[in-house]
Amino acid sequence: MSERSAAVVAKLDDDGVLHVVFDRPGERVNLLSADVLAALDGILDDLGRRSEVRGVLFRSGKPGTFIAGVDVEDIAALDDAFTAAEAARFGQAVFQKIAALQVPTAVAIDGACMGGGTELALACTTRLASDTPHTRLGLPETRIGIVPGFGGCQRLPRLVGLTAALDLILSGRSIDAAEALRIGLVDVVCPAEYLEREARAALLRGRAAAPGGTRRALERVVESVPALRRRALERARGELAARARPDDAYPAPYRALEAIEAAFTLPLHAGLDVEARLIGELVPSRTAKNLIWLFKSRHALRRGAEDVGARPRDVRKLGILGAGAVGVGLARAAADARLRVRLHDPDRESLLEALRTARAHWDAGADRGRWPAAEVDRRMAWLSPTTDLTGLARADLVIEALSAELDVKREAIAEIERRIDERAVIACQSACLPVSELAAGAVHPERIVGVHVVEPMASTQAVEVVPGPRTSPESLATVIDLFTRFGRVPVVVRDQPGFLVSRIQTAYFAEAVRLLEEGVAVTAVDQAATTFGMADGPFERLDRLGLGAAVRVAVVLREAFGRRVEGLVTALESKVASGRGFYRWTDGRRGKPVRTRRTARGESALSLESVQERLTLTLINEAAACLEDGVARSARDLDVAMILGIGFPAFRGGPLHEADAIGAAVVVDRLSRLSEALGERYRPASILRAMAREDRRFHETTAARRRMTP
Amino acid sequence: MAGSDRDVVVVAGVRTPFALAGAELSDVPALELARIAAREVVERSDIDPGEVDELLAGTVRCNSGDAARAIALLAKLPDRVPALTVSRADATGLACLVEAALRIRGGECETVLAVAFDSSPRPAAGRAAHLSLAHPVTGVSPGDAAERLAREFAIDREAQDRFAVRSHERAAAARDSGALAAELVAVPIGPQYRAMVERDGGVRDDVSLDGFTRLPPVLDRAYGTVTEANAAPEADGAVAVLLTSGRFAAARGFPAFGRIISWGFAGCDPRRAGLGPVLAAPVALRRAGRATLGQIDRIEIHEGSAAQVLACLRAFGSRRFAERHLSGGPVGEVDPGIVNDLGGAIAYGHPAGASGARMVLGLLRGLERSGLRRGLAAMAVDGGQGAAMIVEAGG
């Protein structure tokens, strides 16, 4: 006796337990797409007529993964408040049917249980989770600009209390089974192999295994006394604001506060209404659209190796030349991915510094309880530091990150080629040097790939991957695959000086320096950028990147693009000569700006809006020019690289999304006016003018992208 | 013979610097020293770690918690590589290589990674400390045994001190000539990583006969001759050696730099344990195709103490000793000039588990450098044993 749909099946076992099994055919993970929800709804309706059912067990047919959430494609397709709210109401109704069942219900969670998956679990009587590290529970909705809308904001606070619910929903972070047990989100944690047995036993016993909710009495008082509760919510709001996310840019966590408050002030059905209303409000908003787009784009780019059309080489040993910031960052990522690393640097002090940095990072993780202290030694043991160039012959991939100088890099490539296996790949790290030049003297240019791991690594995720004219698809796929394993987002770009990130960023820095020369204060320029939503201001970023490195990039781009960056080179060179940055720094914290004769006054008539406009339009115009030149394969790639590479605000969806939002005609108009007043550099890119003429957009609209579902 | 599967080839060898117990390496756990050496020999040899058939670890002091398997895991060998810990007191380093050679010669393994290491707590100095090293059954301490040999072979204090000075001078010269660079791997001192240990800490440049002469004897103030300076101090260090069959080395194109030809062990009077080399060497020589001492180009005798090494040199050529302890004639006269060319444990210190492997490594490099062929390494073991090994340079 079974009912079938594409992805969810119900089977009654001999003891009267109905197993509702999620198993999306042909996919690695289960998603609660609209059709799955509808099928689940049908199963639940049918259940009312089946008296032989003594309990219902929800589980996954895929070992190691439960339900990864709602299908974001479905959310992305919701264009107006009404349909979005209705979609939420439908999900709520299905889960309400689970909660209202007369028989006990249990959910067996092994693997990722996110968003809608967690909300389904919350509607059950008993929740069981496996004790494996890949079991993670969470409600990440606020990270894509919405709130949990299938009852999560109502049921989670009721189950685990205000404090824990605020933490999980507002941060969107996921937790492991042990923590879920501690806060009362799950009732039982056991080995994956025993999950089903324990769940069936709990169902046949008739009631929940243990009463959920381990809150202390104090917590219950806070929840029930309105004044205390309000204070707790205010504190959470204050903490959100302190993280410097303007609530008009990222409203979701603030709106989630409302929904969570409703859990204590309103009956369930009214609280669910609040959720549905918020979904209606948030889902069609620009922020949610862009964050969802970013979410999907990242996933697509992380599958980029598949698009190359060649099998990536299985990298088990990595050679890294150069123990600078990038070298260490990659060595650490490799150790996290359980790869043997031979880390070379000619300088012993650099190697020691690398070991210190790596150890400090893992120690910090241990301190935060992310892994046991003994794990730190095990991670360190993946690294093998050396001052000579031995130990490369078995490396599947060697990353050259020794120096920024072309000659040194070429020499290093030649040295690596002499030492490695003929099938091994060489990735050459550079912010700006074309692979065609780096690989010019190589014996096997087909195995050389350019990479630009965007710095600072701690705050960026983008990696530009640059195939040279002779790079083989296998080499390209290997590099993309490796950086994906490292948790980075690889974007394939065309082999041109500065590639994408450095080129656009240099234009942006150049504009910032011009503003400075016009008398705008360093802090005013940076503030204009951060008010716009940039992760940091251009001058703070220049300091963080290192002015020496920035000059080298600017010099290379001056050769390629001429006078536009002349002012930047001069300004940075004088800064380097002065030995100081734009700001004073103490222990990695930014202090006051360094005063110089030129910037002492900081007097300028330019308003914050004007400064912002000039910075933004510079970014947009250079981005459009890059797309026109084919530096990025698509508007998607370009915008992702800008968000994850230079800290362009995610809620704006990147410079090309921003251009779409402003409208190409308006962008062209403003640029033209700046061009007349200030010079050629603002001349709108021809692709912008063409789009303005034809009223086109860089990104297709959601409506056009909407998937047709049967 | 080259390329034969019964040939035991030394493909690569690496060691950490040795540091006196309680000195530069005292904050580095013994297993970390062993891990660094093991990983480095894998890296430098460029062997696929999946092709290591077994890891053997030799240690005297550090075998709590299954040392060999721990090293295999820490050095990131694949899970399926088994591991065995071996121990033969002072000769553990040699014994570890012998166990490896047995596996290869017997066809059980194609490649064995041998890791010989030890680490000691800071030793208490003086008479009490020396007596605490007495063998648990015989009650004889190394100092007792050395004094007995000094008396019986009439080796005076000055000869002992001269030999000790020579050990430091040779070791310093070897270091300065760069002869040791190829076998050393620097040890970063975690968890702070403020420094790397790159040199052997025990080797001193400022030694003089005068300075050594002034030191008091450790055990017998009135008639004793053995001092802190003319006997080997305890030390920390690790040596890793990759051994393969000749066939395997040839197939993979490994540039072998030495072969293990034969070995021998022998028991002896525990009160004269220091003479073990003279009893074990003939066994190894006989097994090396009835070789004679005259066919040996270089000799390494473990420097438990100067008195003991000098006693061995006399016993090697002594008819009287041969009549009493050996079935045939004397083993042969030894030219002191070919003994311990790089200095010995008096200078480097003695990590009990590791010294034997350091000697073999140094012996092979010395032979290779001088274009010589055959070498003998021999050690005495407290409690009354001798261990010896014959090696040849090149593949």
Side-chain angles (χ1 to χ4, degrees):
Chain A
M1 189 135 196
S2 72
E3 294 150 59
R4 289 193 169 274
S5 83
V8 54
V9 184
K11 302 179 273 201
L12 190 66
D13 73 16
D14 295 342
D15 293 321
V17 171
L18 188 74
H19 294 239
V20 177
V21 182
F22 296 89
D23 198 351
R24 206 156 60 120
E27 300 284 342
R28 278 178 300 179
V29 296
N30 294 310
L31 294 175
L32 287 178
S33 51
D35 55 329
V36 173
L37 276 174
L40 180 60
D41 191 48
I43 291 170
L44 292 166
D45 281 343
D46 191 39
L47 199 55
R49 297 189 289 275
R50 294 171 69 171
S51 57
E52 73 276 24
V53 174
R54 294 172 60 196
V56 183
L57 168 58
F58 298 94
R59 61 181 175 87
S60 166
K62 300 179 194 300
T65 172
F66 180 62
I67 292 174
V70 173
D71 190 341
V72 286
E73 294 289 355
D74 288 350
I75 309 177
L78 300 168
D79 274 332
D80 62 84
F82 177 76
T83 31
E86 280 306 297
R89 287 203 173 86
F90 179 61
Q92 291 174 354
V94 176
F95 289 179
Q96 194 54 39
K97 284 178 189 171
I98 295 174
L101 284 175
Q102 294 302 307
V103 294
T105 51
V107 57
I109 301 163
D110 176 36
C113 173
M114 294 295 150
T118 299
E119 291 176 300
L120 183 151
L122 285 166
C124 294
T125 352
T126 307
R127 283 156 296 277
L128 304 93
S130 73
D131 58 6
T132 44
H134 55 251
T135 292
R136 308 286 301 180
L137 294 89
L139 291 169
E141 283 84 350
T142 56
R143 292 192 172 179
I144 54 166
I146 61 173
V147 298
F150 290 177
C153 294
Q154 304 311 305
R155 292 197 175 92
L156 185 68
R158 282 176 166 82
L159 183 66
V160 305
L162 180 61
T163 313
L166 283 172
D167 168 27
L168 287 187
I169 293 174
L170 267 44
S171 73
R173 75 187 182 95
S174 67
I175 57 177
D176 63 12
E179 190 175 353
L181 183 68
R182 200 157 58 239
I183 67 169
L185 175 52
V186 300
D187 308 292
V188 175
V189 173
C190 68
E193 292 82 356
Y194 302 152
L195 263 184
E196 195 176 325
R197 185 187 79 189
E198 292 300 309
R200 288 177 71 251
L203 288 170
L204 295 171
R205 269 199 306 273
R207 282 283 22 125
T214 52
R215 280 169 282 169
R216 286 184 305 234
L218 180 66
E219 173 98 7
R220 292 190 185 279
V221 172
V222 171
E223 285 160 12
S224 55
V225 178
L228 295 176
R229 188 175 62 231
R230 268 197 301 278
R231 195 188 293 170
L233 290 163
E234 273 317 305
R235 199 176 53 233
R237 192 186 308 276
E239 281 166 10
L240 278 178
R243 268 183 265 153
R245 292 177 146 196
D247 61 354
D248 56 339
Y250 299 98
Y254 296 90
R255 310 317 301 273
L257 276 173
E258 285 172 42
I260 295 168
E261 186 170 21
F264 298 101
T265 54
L266 299 175
L268 181 63
H269 69 88
L272 291 173
D273 264 355
V274 172
E275 272 185 29
R277 178 171 57 73
L278 290 176
I279 288 288
E281 185 187 312
L282 291 170
V283 165
S285 74
R286 177 189 179 192
T287 297
K289 289 273 176 235
N290 281 334
L291 293 180
I292 289 168
W293 163 85
L294 180 61
F295 177 87
K296 290 192 308 182
S297 304
R298 288 170 65 117
H299 275 254
L301 284 167
R302 287 175 56 78
R303 284 196 300 270
E306 295 166 18
D307 302 340
V308 176
R311 276 179 69 85
R313 184 175 170 141
D314 178 22
V315 176
R316 286 154 70 186
K317 178 172 178 184
L318 186 66
I320 298 178
L321 271 58
V326 169
V328 185
L330 295 178
R332 236 177 49 202
D336 288 339
R338 306 172 62 77
L339 300 184
R340 282 178 292 128
V341 181
R342 184 70 159 169
L343 178 60
H344 161 85
D345 198 289
D347 177 42
R348 285 188 195 290
E349 189 43 51
S350 302
L351 285 177
L352 284 168
E353 170 75 29
L355 295 174
R356 275 199 295 275
T357 314
R359 176 137 211 141
H361 172 81
W362 286 318
D363 277 342
D367 289 345
R368 273 179 279 135
R370 289 175 63 192
W371 42 72
E375 178 65 19
V376 177
D377 284 332
R378 290 194 285 269
R379 299 269 167 115
M380 287 300 295
W382 290 104
L383 311 181
S384 169
T386 178
T387 51
D388 59 36
L389 283 165
T390 56
L392 296 179
R394 290 277 164 193
D396 304 292
L397 192 147
V398 177
I399 298 173
E400 184 281 321
L402 265 177
S403 149
E405 308 298 332
L406 181 63
D407 294 347
V408 180
K409 291 178 105 63
R410 277 187 178 157
E411 241 170 69
I413 289 173
E415 189 62 41
I416 296 167
E417 280 204 298
R418 276 194 286 279
R419 290 169 179 274
I420 59 176
D421 173 83
E422 58 190 15
R423 290 184 56 240
V425 177
I426 302 174
C428 200
Q429 157 78 5
S430 171
C432 55
L433 297 172
V435 187
S436 53
E437 290 182 28
L438 290 167
V443 182
H444 292 288
E446 69 278 5
R447 66 177 174 195
I448 299 178
V449 185
V451 295
H452 175 208
V453 179
V454 184
E455 292 188 84
M457 280 180 81
S459 58
T460 62
Q461 290 174 301
V463 175
E464 294 182 278
V465 180
V466 197
R470 298 175 62 186
T471 303
S472 73
E474 194 204 355
S475 306
L476 183 62
T478 303
V479 171
I480 294 174
D481 182 58
L482 183 78
F483 281 104
T484 305
R485 281 170 74 189
F486 288 177
R488 302 263 145 190
V489 179
V491 179
V492 176
V493 296
R494 199 162 122 186
D495 189 21
Q496 283 193 350
F499 316 125
L500 193 58
V501 169
S502 294
R503 175 170 161 186
I504 296 176
Q505 189 161 250
T506 301
Y508 171 66
F509 288 154
E511 187 65 17
V513 163
R514 261 184 231 107
L515 285 163
L516 201 64
E517 280 160 1
E518 289 171 30
V520 185
V522 165
T523 44
V525 175
D526 276 5
Q527 199 197 342
T530 51
T531 312
F532 179 73
M534 300 293 292
D536 48 19
F539 294 114
E540 177 173 355
R541 198 173 190 82
L542 274 166
D543 274 358
R544 283 192 193 279
L545 285 173
L547 298 179
V551 172
R552 280 193 293 273
V553 172
V555 166
V556 170
L557 288 178
R558 178 175 60 184
E559 273 174 41
F561 299 109
R563 285 190 303 123
R564 276 193 301 166
V565 289
E566 191 63 59
L568 177 66
V569 173
T570 316
L572 292 180
E573 277 173 347
S574 78
K575 271 283 172 196
V576 170
S578 80
R580 312 176 79 170
F582 290 97
Y583 290 95
R584 294 169 208 282
W585 293 85
T586 35
D587 301 331
R589 296 171 69 98
R590 195 192 66 198
K592 287 190 175 350
V594 172
R595 288 188 165 266
T596 63
R597 240 171 301 128
R598 205 185 314 163
T599 61
R601 296 286 168 78
E603 281 173 4
S604 160
L606 281 178
S607 67
L608 183 130
E609 287 72 26
S610 308
V611 173
Q612 207 172 72
E613 181 184 49
R614 278 175 58 178
L615 291 172
T616 316
L617 287 176
T618 302
L619 282 170
I620 291 175
N621 202 25
E622 195 64 39
C626 282
L627 192 66
E628 193 178 316
D629 293 354
V631 182
R633 290 177 306 188
S634 65
R636 178 198 70 182
D637 284 12
L638 192 147
D639 274 348
V640 171
M642 289 301 106
I643 296 168
L644 302 180
I646 73 166
F648 197 93
F651 74 92
R652 296 184 190 271
L656 299 180
H657 264 122
E658 181 69 10
D660 285 348
I662 301 172
V666 178
V667 171
V668 168
D669 180 52
R670 289 190 197 162
L671 279 170
S672 305
R673 272 190 283 148
L674 285 173
S675 174
E676 281 162 29
L678 296 163
E680 263 302 87
R681 63 178 188 273
Y682 288 106
R683 203 157 66 89
S686 41
I687 189 173
L688 273 171
R689 283 177 302 190
M691 298 189 94
R693 251 192 334 268
E694 297 157 25
D695 192 23
R696 281 193 295 127
R697 299 160 60 86
F698 288 105
H699 292 271
E700 300 165 55
T701 59
T702 313
R705 226 188 298 138
R706 182 179 298 169
R707 228 173 24 163
M708 299 306 290
T709 39
Chain B
M1 189 83 168
S4 145
D5 55 341
R6 296 195 58 192
D7 237 13
V8 181
V9 172
V10 177
V11 167
V14 171
R15 70 176 176 92
T16 70
F18 283 9
L20 300 189
E24 297 94 326
L25 294 175
S26 60
D27 290 337
V28 183
L31 286 178
E32 174 70 357
L33 292 176
R35 175 192 77 82
I36 289 172
R39 173 71 182 268
E40 190 66 16
V41 84
V42 169
E43 295 285 345
R44 289 200 196 165
S45 67
D46 284 324
I47 191 173
D48 176 352
E51 287 190 322
V52 174
D53 292 321
E54 187 158 15
L55 181 141
L56 299 184
T59 179
V60 178
R61 300 183 178 278
C62 305
N63 192 26
S64 57
D66 193 3
R69 181 61 178 163
I71 295 163
L73 293 174
L74 287 168
K76 307 299 183 189
L77 295 184
D79 289 347
R80 54 160 199 76
V81 178
L84 168 75
T85 311
V86 299
S87 204
R88 196 192 282 265
D90 300 274
T92 294
L94 267 189
C96 189
L97 298 181
V98 167
E99 288 302 313
L102 276 167
R103 280 163 166 67
I104 292 165
R105 190 159 284 179
E108 196 180 318
C109 294
E110 291 289 320
T111 61
V112 178
L113 178 54
V115 188
F117 72 105
D118 247 317
S119 179
S120 306
R122 182 186 297 275
R127 184 183 157 81
H130 262 276
L131 291 177
S132 76
L133 297 173
H135 191 273
V137 173
T138 65
V140 180
S141 81
D144 285 336
E147 294 287 7
R148 181 180 299 269
L149 294 180
R151 294 194 299 273
E152 292 184 3
F153 286 83
I155 298 158
D156 63 19
R157 169 76 186 266
E158 187 186 333
Q160 293 178 39
D161 285 346
R162 279 191 192 285
F163 186 83
V165 168
R166 172 190 185 269
S167 184
H168 282 279
E169 285 170 354
R170 289 294 175 108
R175 178 197 65 206
D176 296 342
S177 72
L180 301 179
E183 71 185 47
L184 285 173
V185 54
V187 176
I189 308 298
Q192 304 300 327
Y193 300 108
R194 296 280 161 207
M196 273 194 204
V197 173
E198 298 170 57
R199 289 158 55 130
D200 296 306
V203 179
R204 289 164 54 187
D205 294 301
D206 57 350
V207 294
S208 70
L209 192 57
D210 265 7
F212 280 9
T213 308
R214 276 198 288 274
L215 288 173
V218 173
L219 291 176
D220 180 346
R221 296 268 163 165
Y223 302 103
T225 57
V226 178
T227 69
E228 301 274 4
N230 65 30
E234 294 205 53
D236 305 336
V239 186
V241 182
L242 183 67
L243 303 100
T244 74
S245 70
R247 185 177 54 191
F248 184 91
R252 293 289 179 279
F254 284 132
F257 85 102
R259 288 189 298 143
I260 293 179
I261 306 298
S262 68
W263 51 87
F265 297 98
C268 65
D269 175 4
R271 291 169 303 168
R272 296 174 180 82
L275 297 173
V278 193
L279 295 156
V283 183
L285 284 167
R286 196 165 58 242
R287 290 181 186 163
R290 302 198 165 277
T292 64
L293 207 51
Q295 295 167 315
I296 300 294
D297 302 311
R298 282 278 166 83
I299 297 177
E300 284 280 329
I301 301 177
H302 170 61
E303 297 174 356
S305 64
Q308 170 248 331
V309 177
L310 294 171
C312 284
L313 296 186
R314 295 202 182 158
F316 269 120
S318 158
R319 188 161 300 282
R320 194 162 145 257
F321 180 86
E323 278 164 11
R324 287 173 64 177
H325 300 284
L326 302 170
S327 45
V331 188
E333 289 292 338
V334 175
D335 168 11
I338 68 164
V339 175
N340 295 5
D341 185 49
L342 304 172
I346 288 175
Y348 297 101
H350 177 41
S355 284
R358 179 192 62 73
M359 287 162 54
V360 171
L361 220 52
L363 187 57
L364 285 173
R365 290 211 191 277
L367 290 168
E368 187 187 42
R369 233 181 359 262
S370 321
L372 299 170
R373 183 149 166 265
R374 254 183 200 185
L376 163 71
M379 308 184 79
V381 182
D382 284 338
Q385 295 189 68
M389 176 178 281
I390 305 227
V391 298
E392 278 184 13

